[in-house]
Every structure is written in structure tokens, then in C-alpha cells.
Amino acid sequence: MYIENTINELKLKYENEPEFLQAVEEVFESARPLIEAHPEYEKADLLMRMAEPERMIRFRVVWTDDEGKVHTNVGYRCQFNGAIGPYKGGLRFQKNVNESIIKFLGFEQTYKNALTGLPIGGGKGGSDFDPSGKSDSEILRFCQSYMTALYRYIGADTDVPAGDMGVGKREIGYLFGQYRRLKGNFENGVLTGKGLSYGGSLIRPEATGYGAIYYLCEVLKHQNDTIGGKRIGVSGYGNVAWGIMKKAAELGAKVTYFSGPDGYVHDENGVITEEKIAFIEEMRKNDPMHCEPYAKKFGCEFVKGEKFWGVKDVDILMPAAVQNDVDLEHAKKIKESGVKYYIEVANMPTVYEALEYLRKQEGIIVAPSKAVNAGGVGVSALEMSQNAMRLHWTKEEVDEHLKKMMVNIHRESMEAAKEYGLGYDLVAGANIAGFKRVAEAMIEQGIF
Ligand code: GLU
């Protein structure tokens, strides 16, 4: 009853934080066999401690637009769990950001980061600032104001933010510039996802997408299948989808469906040419809300306002856009379509009941986002190492590390599930493996 009691208590305490409750339930329920085998966890009140961020920082961010109008946003940084390393995780600038979203992402990040095998704790931050339609100088002023509030809480050994939705290389540059200005020191280990000229790592922009494909290759290998000729449906067309498209094309597969908030594109021939991939990158920079221009440019089908879950002419689905993108209705359609691989990429893209439903179905392999997308933050940790050593690794070196990391994550997840008699259950396996590492570190460090 320990798990049930904790979840019920959390539901009462945090009834207004649905995303956070969903993330906690998934991890605790999946790690059930491990938790039940360790009665000392209950004595140490471990689950409640794991569900409570070490620190949640909330601050005011005031900035002036190009017309001279003053705006006030809320900024957050959640330092969720530092048991295995400095807090590490991205910043999300998006209109819908609130405390529940930042907390759920910080919680997820903790177990994802543990899976990388590298010494990074879990954190997340962001703001309800809406970057769409903002000029470059507005973005600059916002980032400077945001960092002026945040800089005193972060550092290479304390907390290392990076990008997430709405925060890319440009924003990281502005944030780093302001940090350096305030501190008067060149401490580039304080942020990752930086430009190459001041300590960024090669392959970091591609890492999440590449890592997802490397992980997928391990799943396919396990099933005696191969990636060559596979048709992939990816939701989203951001940075992560871009990496997937590139690596899939390189390995002889093709992304034939992708989507945006405005609807989805079906390109039978696949997004495989450099021209198409570059067009998507440009389209995304100009307008993160509409992917229809691609269909117009390359003469393929665009379905307005719909999602493509349930289409029959794909082999692999990779939800790579936002949280809770796939609900139970979609999940049923996916099952009916006969698709064999459901590989989550975005953080928590599947509503809890939909994920539970898909996991129970025969003939469909479900892989969880916290394992599949861990290559992004994993390469961020490699960026931290390079900064600490004051050197640069080559593309090949970083890619080799990334590949090994994804192979290990898949293997460790598989072995963790097997150890508890769960078969090839990648969701349970990833949660058990990540949980175990964090739990061990917390227990060994005493009660606090
Ligand atoms: N926001 C990304 C993630 O969810 C990257 C975090 C990082 O590189 O620190 O993992």
C-alpha cells in the first residue's frame, strides 16, 4: 500500500498539478517491483522525498517591447533532485508554462538523466513568455532580464540549464552573455547547447533526434528487424524531429508523416533530401505554428487541424511534439492500424491511460521518452565535460559516445525489466533503472 498511499497523498496535496501527478504515477507504478523489494524505502520516506523538489525558484521577469510597452512574465527554475550531480535540464519559454509543467519536466528529467549513466541531477525551468512573433531585440531583452533573476542560483557545479521549447542556440547565447556580464567570469560550463565559438559541443543540436534513432535501432535489432526501408511518422517539426529526419534518411529509412499545431503533412516519398530537411529547418525558424508551407512547396498532402495517429501506411510512430499529444482514442486507432513500434520522444507525449493501454497490447512495442530522448541531455553532459577539460571533441568522438550511451540505456532498461520478471518491457525497465540509481544515491547520502 506504500505506493498507493503516497500517490493518494500527493493527489490531495497537488490536485491542481495534473501533469506532475501523471509523471509521478508513471514512475512509481513502473518501479513498483523494485520499490516493493526494498522495505527500507518506506522507512526513509523515499517516495515523498522523491516527489518533492529540493527547491522551486519563481521570479518576476520584466522586459520592454519594441514599442516601449512594459511586460511582466513569470520565470521558474525547479532544482528537482541533485543526488547524482548538479541539477541539469532545459529552459522552456512557452505561453502555457506553469508550475505543474515545470515540476513534471524536472521530475522526468531526474530519472532520464540518471539513465544516461552520467553525473547529472534533474532540473527544469522556463517562463510563460511567448516567443512567437517577437523581434530579435525583444528576445534579447527578455533573455537578459531572465538571466538577471536566475544567475545567482546556477553554476557549473550547481545547476546547468540548457534549451528546451522556445530556447535554442540564439537564446542560450543571449543568456550566457548576460551571465558573463553579471559575473565577470568566463564560466561556460554554466549552460549547455552553446554556440561552437564559446564552448558548445558538436552534435548537440542533432543529439536528441540522433539518439532516438540509435535507440530505435536497438529495439529493431532486438526484434530481428532493421531500419532500412521503414516509414516513420513523427509528430512535430522542431529540433528533435529534424534530427530524426536526418538520421533516418542517412540509415535508409524515411519520415513520411510529420505535423505541426496546424495539421499534418503526408509525404509519401519521405523527408529524405537535404533540400527538404533544410526547408523544414527554415520553416520552423520563421513560424513554429504552421507546417503547411512544406506541403505547398513539395506538392504533397496536408490535412488541416488533424493528427495522423492511426494511419496505416507507417511502420513506426514517434511522437516528438508536446506532452499529452496522444490520448486513449488515438491509442485505440494506433492499435487498430497494426503499427508495430510506438517510440515516445517528446517528454510525456502519451496520456497515462493511453500509455497503459498501448503497453498492454500484443504486437506493439512501446518505448518511453525518458529513455529515447536522453541522448540530448546526455550530449549536454558531454559538453560539460569538454568545458571542464577546456577542449573540444570531434564530431566522430561525440557521436560515438552518444551511440554507446543509447545502446547502454536500451540494454540497462531491458535487463532491469528482465530482473523483475517483466519481459521486454522498456517502459518499466527504464523507470526501474533510473529510479534505482537515484534511490541508491539518496539513501546513501542520509535523510534530508
Ligand atoms: N531540454 C532537453 C531535455 O529535455 C535538454 C536538456 C539539457 O540538455 O540539459 O532533455
Side-chain angles (χ1 to χ4, degrees), residues 88-90 109 112 124 160 162-164 192 204 347 373 376-377 380:
K88 180 85 198 87
Q109 196 84 41
K112 173 197 329 198
K124 201 84 184 192
V160 184
D164 196 80
T192 63
R204 178 61 190 93
N347 294 311
N373 74 25
V377 74
S380 273

Side-chain angles (χ1 to χ4, degrees), residues 76 273 420:
Y76 302 92
T273 60
Y420 289 95

Side-chain angles (χ1 to χ4, degrees), residues 74 92 112 166 168 346 386 409:
V74 186
R92 180 174 289 193
K112 173 197 329 198
Q386 294 170 73
I409 291 174

Side-chain angles (χ1 to χ4, degrees), residues 16 85 110 123 141 144 193 196 222 256 261 277 298 322 418 445:
N16 297 324
T110 302
R141 285 194 295 276
Q144 290 184 333
L196 290 176
H222 180 269
T256 51
I277 293 172
F298 296 104
V322 286
K418 217 189 260 165
Q445 289 173 33

Side-chain angles (χ1 to χ4, degrees), residues 16 29 39 59 65 120-121 143 177 195 220 242 324 359 402 419 429:
N16 297 324
E29 279 300 342
F59 46 89
D65 70 20
I120 40 177
C143 287
L220 292 166
W242 167 75
N324 292 333
R359 285 177 67 189
L402 171 62
E419 189 186 334

